[in-house]
PDB file of all heavy atoms in Angstrom:
ATOM      1  N   ARG A  66    -101.245  72.927 260.446  1.00 98.00           N
ATOM      2  CA  ARG A  66    -100.928  73.860 259.369  1.00 98.00           C
ATOM      3  C   ARG A  66    -102.212  74.198 258.611  1.00 98.00           C
ATOM      4  O   ARG A  66    -103.262  73.628 258.863  1.00 98.00           O
ATOM      5  CB  ARG A  66     -99.813  73.364 258.439  1.00 98.00           C
ATOM      6  CG  ARG A  66     -99.676  71.904 258.160  1.00 98.00           C
ATOM      7  CD  ARG A  66    -100.686  71.222 257.253  1.00 98.00           C
ATOM      8  NE  ARG A  66    -101.031  72.011 256.084  1.00 98.00           N
ATOM      9  CZ  ARG A  66    -102.222  72.009 255.538  1.00 98.00           C
ATOM     10  NH1 ARG A  66    -103.205  71.261 256.031  1.00 98.00           N
ATOM     11  NH2 ARG A  66    -102.492  72.736 254.489  1.00 98.00           N
ATOM     12  N   GLY A  67    -102.053  75.151 257.641  1.00 98.00           N
ATOM     13  CA  GLY A  67    -103.232  75.676 256.968  1.00 98.00           C
ATOM     14  C   GLY A  67    -103.609  76.966 257.689  1.00 98.00           C
ATOM     15  O   GLY A  67    -103.675  76.992 258.939  1.00 98.00           O
ATOM     16  N   ALA A  68    -103.833  78.025 256.908  1.00 98.00           N
ATOM     17  CA  ALA A  68    -103.935  79.364 257.512  1.00 98.00           C
ATOM     18  C   ALA A  68    -104.952  79.469 258.667  1.00 98.00           C
ATOM     19  O   ALA A  68    -104.584  79.895 259.768  1.00 98.00           O
ATOM     20  CB  ALA A  68    -104.229  80.384 256.408  1.00 98.00           C
ATOM     21  N   PRO A  69    -106.219  79.080 258.467  1.00 98.00           N
ATOM     22  CA  PRO A  69    -107.158  79.233 259.591  1.00 98.00           C
ATOM     23  C   PRO A  69    -106.804  78.352 260.797  1.00 98.00           C
ATOM     24  O   PRO A  69    -106.923  78.795 261.946  1.00 98.00           O
ATOM     25  CB  PRO A  69    -108.506  78.816 258.985  1.00 98.00           C
ATOM     26  CG  PRO A  69    -108.340  79.037 257.505  1.00 98.00           C
ATOM     27  CD  PRO A  69    -106.905  78.659 257.230  1.00 98.00           C
ATOM     28  N   ARG A 105     -94.876  81.549 262.038  1.00 98.00           N
ATOM     29  CA  ARG A 105     -94.930  81.488 260.560  1.00 98.00           C
ATOM     30  C   ARG A 105     -95.383  82.853 260.039  1.00 98.00           C
ATOM     31  O   ARG A 105     -96.384  83.387 260.523  1.00 98.00           O
ATOM     32  CB  ARG A 105     -95.881  80.371 260.088  1.00 98.00           C
ATOM     33  CG  ARG A 105     -95.394  78.970 260.489  1.00 98.00           C
ATOM     34  CD  ARG A 105     -96.136  77.872 259.758  1.00 98.00           C
ATOM     35  NE  ARG A 105     -95.759  77.807 258.356  1.00 98.00           N
ATOM     36  CZ  ARG A 105     -96.424  77.084 257.445  1.00 98.00           C
ATOM     37  NH1 ARG A 105     -97.501  76.411 257.805  1.00 98.00           N
ATOM     38  NH2 ARG A 105     -96.021  77.049 256.186  1.00 98.00           N
ATOM     39  N   CYS A 171    -102.194  71.682 247.438  1.00 98.00           N
ATOM     40  CA  CYS A 171    -102.008  71.731 248.886  1.00 98.00           C
ATOM     41  C   CYS A 171    -103.223  71.117 249.597  1.00 98.00           C
ATOM     42  O   CYS A 171    -103.953  70.323 249.006  1.00 98.00           O
ATOM     43  CB  CYS A 171    -101.744  73.164 249.365  1.00 98.00           C
ATOM     44  SG  CYS A 171    -100.981  73.235 251.008  1.00 98.00           S
ATOM     45  N   ASN A 172    -103.441  71.481 250.856  1.00 98.00           N
ATOM     46  CA  ASN A 172    -104.609  70.978 251.581  1.00 98.00           C
ATOM     47  C   ASN A 172    -105.369  72.143 252.172  1.00 98.00           C
ATOM     48  O   ASN A 172    -104.799  72.977 252.883  1.00 98.00           O
ATOM     49  CB  ASN A 172    -104.205  70.015 252.695  1.00 98.00           C
ATOM     50  CG  ASN A 172    -105.409  69.679 253.571  1.00 98.00           C
ATOM     51  OD1 ASN A 172    -105.634  70.318 254.599  1.00 98.00           O
ATOM     52  ND2 ASN A 172    -106.224  68.730 253.146  1.00 98.00           N
ATOM     53  N   THR A 173    -106.655  72.163 251.872  1.00 98.00           N
ATOM     54  CA  THR A 173    -107.503  73.283 252.292  1.00 98.00           C
ATOM     55  C   THR A 173    -108.779  72.766 252.950  1.00 98.00           C
ATOM     56  O   THR A 173    -109.830  73.400 252.864  1.00 98.00           O
ATOM     57  CB  THR A 173    -107.888  74.121 251.053  1.00 98.00           C
ATOM     58  OG1 THR A 173    -108.554  73.238 250.128  1.00 98.00           O
ATOM     59  CG2 THR A 173    -106.683  74.730 250.370  1.00 98.00           C
ATOM     60  N   ALA A 177    -106.975  71.915 257.598  1.00 98.00           N
ATOM     61  CA  ALA A 177    -106.378  73.251 257.459  1.00 98.00           C
ATOM     62  C   ALA A 177    -107.198  74.354 258.118  1.00 98.00           C
ATOM     63  O   ALA A 177    -106.782  75.503 258.135  1.00 98.00           O
ATOM     64  CB  ALA A 177    -106.213  73.572 255.971  1.00 98.00           C
ATOM     65  N   THR A 178    -108.360  73.974 258.650  1.00 98.00           N
ATOM     66  CA  THR A 178    -109.296  74.979 259.172  1.00 98.00           C
ATOM     67  C   THR A 178    -109.921  74.475 260.478  1.00 98.00           C
ATOM     68  O   THR A 178    -109.637  73.361 260.919  1.00 98.00           O
ATOM     69  CB  THR A 178    -110.444  75.219 258.154  1.00 98.00           C
ATOM     70  OG1 THR A 178    -111.140  73.975 257.986  1.00 98.00           O
ATOM     71  CG2 THR A 178    -109.927  75.691 256.801  1.00 98.00           C
ATOM     72  N   THR A 183    -111.921  75.188 253.096  1.00 98.00           N
ATOM     73  CA  THR A 183    -112.260  76.282 252.182  1.00 98.00           C
ATOM     74  C   THR A 183    -112.441  75.676 250.783  1.00 98.00           C
ATOM     75  O   THR A 183    -113.511  75.161 250.481  1.00 98.00           O
ATOM     76  CB  THR A 183    -111.177  77.381 252.227  1.00 98.00           C
ATOM     77  OG1 THR A 183    -109.904  76.818 251.873  1.00 98.00           O
ATOM     78  CG2 THR A 183    -111.109  78.014 253.600  1.00 98.00           C
ATOM     79  N   GLN A 210     -98.550  68.025 251.136  1.00 98.00           N
ATOM     80  CA  GLN A 210     -99.877  68.244 251.735  1.00 98.00           C
ATOM     81  C   GLN A 210    -100.981  67.665 250.846  1.00 98.00           C
ATOM     82  O   GLN A 210    -102.051  67.322 251.321  1.00 98.00           O
ATOM     83  CB  GLN A 210    -100.133  69.745 251.945  1.00 98.00           C
ATOM     84  CG  GLN A 210     -99.340  70.387 253.063  1.00 98.00           C
ATOM     85  CD  GLN A 210     -98.015  70.946 252.590  1.00 98.00           C
ATOM     86  OE1 GLN A 210     -97.443  70.488 251.611  1.00 98.00           O
ATOM     87  NE2 GLN A 210     -97.502  71.944 253.293  1.00 98.00           N
ATOM     88  N   ALA A 250    -105.896  80.113 250.167  1.00 98.00           N
ATOM     89  CA  ALA A 250    -104.930  81.215 250.240  1.00 98.00           C
ATOM     90  C   ALA A 250    -104.476  81.391 251.675  1.00 98.00           C
ATOM     91  O   ALA A 250    -105.212  81.071 252.616  1.00 98.00           O
ATOM     92  CB  ALA A 250    -105.548  82.509 249.737  1.00 98.00           C
ATOM     93  N   ASP A 251    -103.270  81.898 251.811  1.00 98.00           N
ATOM     94  CA  ASP A 251    -102.726  82.222 253.141  1.00 98.00           C
ATOM     95  C   ASP A 251    -102.845  83.697 253.442  1.00 98.00           C
ATOM     96  O   ASP A 251    -102.867  84.113 254.599  1.00 98.00           O
ATOM     97  CB  ASP A 251    -101.268  81.791 253.241  1.00 98.00           C
ATOM     98  CG  ASP A 251    -101.196  80.306 253.489  1.00 98.00           C
ATOM     99  OD1 ASP A 251    -101.404  79.538 252.543  1.00 98.00           O
ATOM    100  OD2 ASP A 251    -100.998  79.927 254.654  1.00 98.00           O
ATOM    101  N   ASN A 261    -100.420  81.736 248.257  1.00 98.00           N
ATOM    102  CA  ASN A 261    -100.805  80.375 248.641  1.00 98.00           C
ATOM    103  C   ASN A 261     -99.588  79.471 248.417  1.00 98.00           C
ATOM    104  O   ASN A 261     -98.531  79.922 247.966  1.00 98.00           O
ATOM    105  CB  ASN A 261    -102.015  79.903 247.824  1.00 98.00           C
ATOM    106  CG  ASN A 261    -102.585  78.601 248.362  1.00 98.00           C
ATOM    107  OD1 ASN A 261    -102.832  78.484 249.574  1.00 98.00           O
ATOM    108  ND2 ASN A 261    -102.778  77.607 247.518  1.00 98.00           N
ATOM    109  N   LYS A 262     -99.755  78.222 248.758  1.00 98.00           N
ATOM    110  CA  LYS A 262     -98.657  77.244 248.698  1.00 98.00           C
ATOM    111  C   LYS A 262     -97.883  77.344 247.391  1.00 98.00           C
ATOM    112  O   LYS A 262     -98.485  77.499 246.325  1.00 98.00           O
ATOM    113  CB  LYS A 262     -99.273  75.844 248.869  1.00 98.00           C
ATOM    114  CG  LYS A 262     -98.334  74.689 248.812  1.00 98.00           C
ATOM    115  CD  LYS A 262     -97.174  74.796 249.776  1.00 98.00           C
ATOM    116  CE  LYS A 262     -97.564  74.990 251.214  1.00 98.00           C
ATOM    117  NZ  LYS A 262     -96.437  75.482 252.067  1.00 98.00           N
ATOM    118  N   PHE A 328     -94.429  79.707 249.791  1.00 98.00           N
ATOM    119  CA  PHE A 328     -95.624  80.269 249.146  1.00 98.00           C
ATOM    120  C   PHE A 328     -95.221  81.074 247.915  1.00 98.00           C
ATOM    121  O   PHE A 328     -94.071  81.501 247.803  1.00 98.00           O
ATOM    122  CB  PHE A 328     -96.371  81.196 250.132  1.00 98.00           C
ATOM    123  CG  PHE A 328     -96.773  80.477 251.393  1.00 98.00           C
ATOM    124  CD1 PHE A 328     -95.992  80.540 252.540  1.00 98.00           C
ATOM    125  CD2 PHE A 328     -97.923  79.695 251.430  1.00 98.00           C
ATOM    126  CE1 PHE A 328     -96.334  79.844 253.690  1.00 98.00           C
ATOM    127  CE2 PHE A 328     -98.274  78.991 252.572  1.00 98.00           C
ATOM    128  CZ  PHE A 328     -97.476  79.066 253.707  1.00 98.00           C
TER     129      PHE A 328
HETATM  130  O1  MRU B  10     -97.571  75.400 254.566  1.00 51.75           O
HETATM  131  P1  MRU B  10     -99.023  75.093 254.780  1.00 51.75           P
HETATM  132  O2  MRU B  10     -99.343  73.647 254.656  1.00 51.75           O
HETATM  133  O3  MRU B  10     -99.546  75.712 256.055  1.00 51.75           O
HETATM  134  O4  MRU B  10     -99.752  75.840 253.576  1.00 51.75           O
HETATM  135  C1  MRU B  10    -101.150  75.802 253.518  1.00 51.75           C
HETATM  136  C2  MRU B  10    -101.712  76.386 252.289  1.00 51.75           C
HETATM  137  O5  MRU B  10    -101.010  76.885 251.439  1.00 51.75           O
HETATM  138  C3  MRU B  10    -103.214  76.398 252.186  1.00 51.75           C
HETATM  139  O6  MRU B  10    -103.599  76.372 250.854  1.00 51.75           O
HETATM  140  C4  MRU B  10    -103.763  77.674 252.840  1.00 51.75           C
HETATM  141  O7  MRU B  10    -103.261  77.835 254.120  1.00 51.75           O
HETATM  142  C5  MRU B  10    -105.239  77.679 252.880  1.00 51.75           C
HETATM  143  S1  MRU B  10    -105.871  76.563 254.074  1.00 51.75           S
HETATM  144  C6  MRU B  10    -107.556  76.690 254.077  1.00 51.75           C
END
Side-chain angles (χ1 to χ4, degrees):
R66 33 73 42 214
R105 296 194 72 192
C171 199
N172 171 266
T173 58
T178 61
T183 58
Q210 288 90 334
D251 281 76
N261 190 50
K262 179 54 56 197
F328 302 96

